[in-house]
Coordinates of all heavy atoms in Angstrom, one line a residue:
W208 N -25.5 17.0 30.9 CA -24.8 17.2 32.1 C -25.7 18.0 33.1 O -26.2 19.1 32.7 CB -23.6 18.0 31.7 CG -22.6 18.1 32.9 CD1 -22.5 19.2 33.7 CD2 -21.7 17.1 33.4 NE1 -21.6 18.9 34.7 CE2 -21.1 17.7 34.6 CE3 -21.4 15.8 33.1 CZ2 -20.2 16.9 35.3 CZ3 -20.5 15.1 33.7 CH2 -19.9 15.7 34.9
K209 N -26.0 17.4 34.2 CA -26.9 18.1 35.2 C -26.4 17.7 36.6 O -26.2 16.5 36.9 CB -28.3 17.6 35.0 CG -29.4 18.4 35.7 CD -30.7 18.0 35.3 CE -31.8 18.8 35.9 NZ -33.2 18.3 35.5
D210 N -26.3 18.7 37.4 CA -25.9 18.6 38.9 C -24.7 17.7 39.0 O -24.6 16.8 39.8 CB -27.1 17.8 39.6 CG -28.3 18.6 39.6 OD1 -28.2 19.9 39.6 OD2 -29.5 18.1 39.6
G211 N -23.7 18.0 38.1 CA -22.4 17.5 38.2 C -22.3 16.1 37.6 O -21.2 15.4 37.9
K212 N -23.2 15.7 36.9 CA -23.2 14.3 36.3 C -24.0 14.2 35.0 O -24.8 15.0 34.8 CB -23.6 13.1 37.3 CG -25.1 13.4 37.8 CD -25.4 12.3 38.8 CE -26.8 12.4 39.3 NZ -27.3 11.4 40.2
Q213 N -23.8 13.1 34.3 CA -24.6 12.9 33.1 C -25.9 12.2 33.4 O -25.8 11.1 34.1 CB -23.8 12.0 32.1 CG -22.6 12.7 31.4 CD -23.0 13.7 30.4 OE1 -22.5 14.8 30.5 NE2 -23.9 13.3 29.5
V214 N -27.0 12.6 33.0 CA -28.3 12.0 33.3 C -29.0 11.9 32.0 O -28.8 12.6 31.0 CB -29.1 12.9 34.2 CG1 -28.4 13.0 35.6 CG2 -29.3 14.4 33.6
D215 N -29.9 10.8 32.0 CA -30.7 10.6 30.7 C -31.8 11.7 30.5 O -32.3 12.2 31.5 CB -31.5 9.2 30.9 CG -30.4 8.1 30.8 OD1 -29.3 8.3 30.3 OD2 -30.9 7.0 31.1
T216 N -32.0 12.0 29.3 CA -33.1 12.9 28.9 C -34.3 12.0 28.4 O -34.2 10.8 28.4 CB -32.6 13.8 27.8 OG1 -32.4 13.1 26.6 CG2 -31.4 14.6 28.2
D217 N -35.3 12.6 28.0 CA -36.5 11.8 27.4 C -36.3 11.6 25.9 O -37.1 10.8 25.3 CB -37.7 12.7 27.5 CG -38.2 12.9 29.0 OD1 -37.8 11.9 29.8 OD2 -38.8 13.8 29.4
E218 N -35.2 12.1 25.3 CA -35.0 11.9 23.9 C -34.3 10.6 23.5 O -33.3 10.4 24.2 CB -34.2 13.1 23.3 CG -34.1 13.1 21.8 CD -33.3 14.4 21.3 OE1 -33.0 15.2 22.1 OE2 -33.0 14.4 20.1
D219 N -34.8 9.9 22.6 CA -34.1 8.7 22.1 C -32.7 9.0 21.6 O -32.5 10.0 21.0 CB -34.9 7.9 21.0 CG -36.1 7.3 21.6 OD1 -36.1 6.9 22.7 OD2 -37.1 7.1 20.8
N220 N -31.7 8.1 21.9 CA -30.3 8.2 21.4 C -30.3 7.4 20.1 O -30.1 6.2 20.1 CB -29.4 7.6 22.4 CG -28.0 7.6 21.9 OD1 -27.6 8.5 21.1 ND2 -27.2 6.6 22.2
I221 N -30.6 8.1 18.9 CA -30.6 7.4 17.7 C -29.2 7.3 17.2 O -28.5 8.4 17.1 CB -31.5 8.2 16.6 CG1 -32.9 8.4 17.2 CG2 -31.4 7.5 15.3 CD1 -33.7 7.1 17.4
I222 N -28.8 6.2 16.9 CA -27.3 6.0 16.6 C -27.0 5.9 15.1 O -25.9 5.9 14.7 CB -26.7 4.7 17.2 CG1 -27.6 3.4 16.8 CG2 -26.8 4.7 18.7 CD1 -27.1 2.7 15.6
N223 N -28.1 6.0 14.3 CA -27.8 5.9 12.9 C -28.4 7.1 12.0 O -29.2 7.8 12.4 CB -28.4 4.6 12.3 CG -29.9 4.4 12.6 OD1 -30.4 4.9 13.5 ND2 -30.6 3.9 11.5
N224 N -27.8 7.2 10.8 CA -28.4 8.2 9.8 C -29.1 7.4 8.8 O -28.5 6.6 8.0 CB -27.2 8.9 9.2 CG -27.6 9.8 8.1 OD1 -28.7 9.9 7.7 ND2 -26.6 10.4 7.4
V225 N -30.4 7.5 8.7 CA -31.2 6.6 7.9 C -31.1 6.9 6.4 O -31.4 6.1 5.6 CB -32.7 6.7 8.3 CG1 -32.9 6.2 9.7 CG2 -33.3 8.1 8.1
E226 N -30.6 8.1 6.0 CA -30.4 8.5 4.7 C -29.0 9.0 4.4 O -28.7 10.2 4.2 CB -31.4 9.6 4.2 CG -32.8 9.1 4.1 CD -33.7 10.2 3.6 OE1 -33.3 11.3 3.6 OE2 -34.8 9.9 3.1
P227 N -28.0 8.0 4.5 CA -26.6 8.4 4.2 C -26.4 8.9 2.9 O -27.2 8.7 1.9 CB -25.7 7.0 4.4 CG -26.8 6.0 4.2 CD -28.2 6.5 4.6
L228 N -25.3 9.7 2.7 CA -25.1 10.5 1.5 C -25.1 9.7 0.2 O -25.6 10.1 -0.9 CB -23.7 11.2 1.7 CG -23.7 12.5 0.8 CD1 -24.6 13.6 1.3 CD2 -22.2 13.1 0.8
W229 N -24.5 8.4 0.3 CA -24.4 7.6 -1.0 C -25.8 7.2 -1.5 O -25.8 6.8 -2.7 CB -23.5 6.4 -0.7 CG -24.1 5.3 0.0 CD1 -24.9 4.3 -0.4 CD2 -23.8 5.0 1.4 NE1 -25.2 3.4 0.6 CE2 -24.5 3.8 1.7 CE3 -23.1 5.6 2.4 CZ2 -24.5 3.2 3.0 CZ3 -23.0 5.0 3.7 CH2 -23.7 3.8 4.0
T230 N -26.8 7.3 -0.7 CA -28.2 6.9 -1.2 C -28.9 8.1 -1.9 O -30.0 7.8 -2.4 CB -29.1 6.5 0.0 OG1 -29.3 7.6 0.9 CG2 -28.4 5.3 0.8
K231 N -28.2 9.2 -1.9 CA -28.9 10.4 -2.5 C -28.5 10.6 -3.9 O -27.4 10.1 -4.3 CB -28.7 11.7 -1.7 CG -29.2 11.5 -0.2 CD -28.9 12.7 0.7 CE -29.5 12.5 2.1 NZ -29.2 13.7 2.9
T232 N -29.3 11.3 -4.6 CA -28.8 11.7 -6.1 C -27.7 12.7 -6.1 O -27.8 13.7 -5.5 CB -30.0 12.2 -6.8 OG1 -31.2 11.3 -6.7 CG2 -29.8 12.5 -8.2
P233 N -26.6 12.3 -6.8 CA -25.5 13.3 -6.9 C -25.9 14.7 -7.2 O -25.2 15.7 -6.7 CB -24.6 12.5 -7.9 CG -24.9 11.2 -7.9 CD -26.3 11.1 -7.6
S234 N -26.8 14.9 -8.2 CA -27.1 16.3 -8.6 C -27.7 17.1 -7.5 O -27.7 18.3 -7.6 CB -28.0 16.2 -9.8 OG -29.3 15.5 -9.4
T235 N -28.2 16.4 -6.4 CA -28.8 17.2 -5.3 C -27.8 17.6 -4.3 O -28.1 18.3 -3.3 CB -30.0 16.4 -4.7 OG1 -29.4 15.3 -4.0 CG2 -31.0 16.0 -5.7
L236 N -26.5 17.2 -4.4 CA -25.5 17.4 -3.3 C -24.5 18.4 -3.7 O -24.2 18.7 -4.9 CB -24.8 16.1 -3.2 CG -25.7 14.9 -2.7 CD1 -24.9 13.6 -2.7 CD2 -26.4 15.2 -1.4
K237 N -24.0 19.1 -2.8 CA -23.0 20.1 -2.9 C -21.7 19.6 -2.4 O -21.6 18.6 -1.7 CB -23.3 21.4 -2.2 CG -24.6 22.0 -2.7 CD -25.1 23.3 -1.9 CE -26.3 23.9 -2.4 NZ -26.7 25.0 -1.7
D238 N -20.5 20.3 -2.7 CA -19.2 19.9 -2.3 C -19.2 19.8 -0.8 O -18.6 18.8 -0.2 CB -18.1 20.9 -2.7 CG -17.9 20.7 -4.2 OD1 -18.4 19.9 -4.8 OD2 -17.0 21.5 -4.7
E239 N -19.8 20.7 -0.1 CA -19.8 20.6 1.5 C -20.4 19.5 2.0 O -20.2 19.0 3.0 CB -20.5 22.0 2.0 CG -20.3 22.1 3.5 CD -18.9 21.9 4.0 OE1 -17.9 22.4 3.4 OE2 -18.8 21.2 5.1
D240 N -21.5 19.0 1.3 CA -22.2 17.7 1.7 C -21.3 16.5 1.7 O -21.2 15.8 2.7 CB -23.4 17.4 0.7 CG -24.4 18.5 0.9 OD1 -24.7 19.0 1.9 OD2 -25.0 18.7 -0.2
Y241 N -20.4 16.4 0.7 CA -19.4 15.3 0.6 C -18.3 15.5 1.6 O -17.9 14.5 2.3 CB -18.8 15.3 -0.8 CG -19.7 14.8 -1.9 CD1 -20.4 15.7 -2.8 CD2 -20.1 13.5 -2.1 CE1 -21.2 15.3 -3.7 CE2 -20.9 13.0 -3.0 CZ -21.5 13.9 -3.9 OH -22.3 13.5 -4.8
K242 N -17.9 16.8 1.8 CA -16.8 17.0 2.9 C -17.4 16.7 4.2 O -16.7 16.1 5.1 CB -16.3 18.4 2.7 CG -15.6 18.7 1.5 CD -15.2 20.2 1.4 CE -14.5 20.5 0.1 NZ -14.2 21.9 -0.1
S243 N -18.6 17.1 4.5 CA -19.2 16.9 5.8 C -19.3 15.4 6.1 O -19.1 14.9 7.2 CB -20.6 17.5 5.9 OG -21.2 17.3 7.1
F244 N -19.8 14.6 5.1 CA -20.0 13.1 5.2 C -18.5 12.5 5.4 O -18.5 11.6 6.2 CB -20.6 12.6 4.0 CG -20.9 11.1 4.1 CD1 -21.8 10.7 5.1 CD2 -20.4 10.2 3.2 CE1 -22.0 9.3 5.1 CE2 -20.7 8.8 3.3 CZ -21.4 8.4 4.3
Y245 N -17.5 13.0 4.7 CA -16.2 12.5 5.0 C -15.7 12.7 6.4 O -15.1 11.8 7.0 CB -15.2 13.2 4.0 CG -13.8 12.6 4.1 CD1 -13.5 11.5 3.4 CD2 -12.8 13.3 4.7 CE1 -12.3 10.9 3.4 CE2 -11.5 12.7 4.7 CZ -11.3 11.5 4.0 OH -10.0 11.1 4.0
R246 N -16.1 13.9 7.0 CA -15.7 14.1 8.4 C -16.4 13.2 9.3 O -15.9 12.8 10.3 CB -16.0 15.6 8.7 CG -15.0 16.6 8.1 CD -15.2 18.0 8.7 NE -16.5 18.6 8.4 CZ -16.7 19.4 7.3 NH1 -15.7 19.6 6.4 NH2 -17.8 19.9 7.1
T247 N -17.7 12.8 8.9 CA -18.4 11.9 9.7 C -17.7 10.5 9.7 O -17.6 9.8 10.8 CB -19.9 11.7 9.2 OG1 -20.4 13.0 9.2 CG2 -20.7 10.7 9.9
L248 N -17.2 10.1 8.6 CA -16.7 8.8 8.4 C -15.2 8.8 9.1 O -14.8 7.7 9.7 CB -16.5 8.4 7.0 CG -17.8 8.1 6.2 CD1 -17.5 8.0 4.7 CD2 -18.5 6.9 6.7
Y249 N -14.5 9.8 8.9 CA -13.1 9.9 9.3 C -12.8 11.2 10.0 O -12.3 12.2 9.4 CB -12.1 9.7 8.1 CG -12.5 8.6 7.2 CD1 -13.2 8.9 5.9 CD2 -12.3 7.3 7.5 CE1 -13.6 7.8 5.1 CE2 -12.7 6.3 6.7 CZ -13.3 6.5 5.5 OH -13.7 5.5 4.7
P250 N -13.2 11.4 11.3 CA -13.2 12.7 12.0 C -11.7 13.3 12.1 O -11.6 14.4 12.1 CB -13.7 12.2 13.4 CG -14.5 11.0 13.2 CD -13.8 10.3 12.1
M251 N -10.7 12.4 12.1 CA -9.3 12.9 12.3 C -8.6 13.1 11.0 O -7.4 13.5 11.0 CB -8.5 12.0 13.2 CG -9.3 11.7 14.5 SD -9.6 13.2 15.5 CE -8.0 13.7 16.0
Q252 N -9.2 12.9 9.9 CA -8.4 13.0 8.7 C -8.5 14.4 8.0 O -9.4 15.2 8.2 CB -9.0 12.0 7.6 CG -8.9 10.6 7.9 CD -7.5 10.1 7.7 OE1 -6.8 10.5 6.9 NE2 -7.1 9.0 8.5
D253 N -7.4 14.7 7.2 CA -7.4 15.9 6.5 C -8.5 15.9 5.4 O -9.0 14.8 5.0 CB -6.0 16.1 5.7 CG -5.0 16.3 6.8 OD1 -5.2 16.8 7.9 OD2 -3.7 16.1 6.4

Side-chain angles (χ1 to χ4, degrees):
W208 189 259
K209 192 174 183 180
D210 298 331
K212 61 180 179 180
Q213 290 288 128
V214 295
D215 288 345
T216 65
D217 294 331
E218 185 180 353
D219 284 336
N220 178 35
I221 304 297
I222 56 92
N223 58 323
N224 173 0
V225 298
E226 290 186 341
L228 206 68
W229 74 82
T230 65
K231 299 180 180 180
T232 306
S234 60
T235 66
L236 301 173
K237 298 178 181 178
D238 286 358
E239 186 50 43
D240 296 323
Y241 288 103
K242 292 176 183 178
S243 177
F244 185 59
Y245 187 77
R246 289 192 292 270
T247 300
L248 293 172
Y249 314 103
M251 305 303 291
Q252 293 287 331
D253 292 338

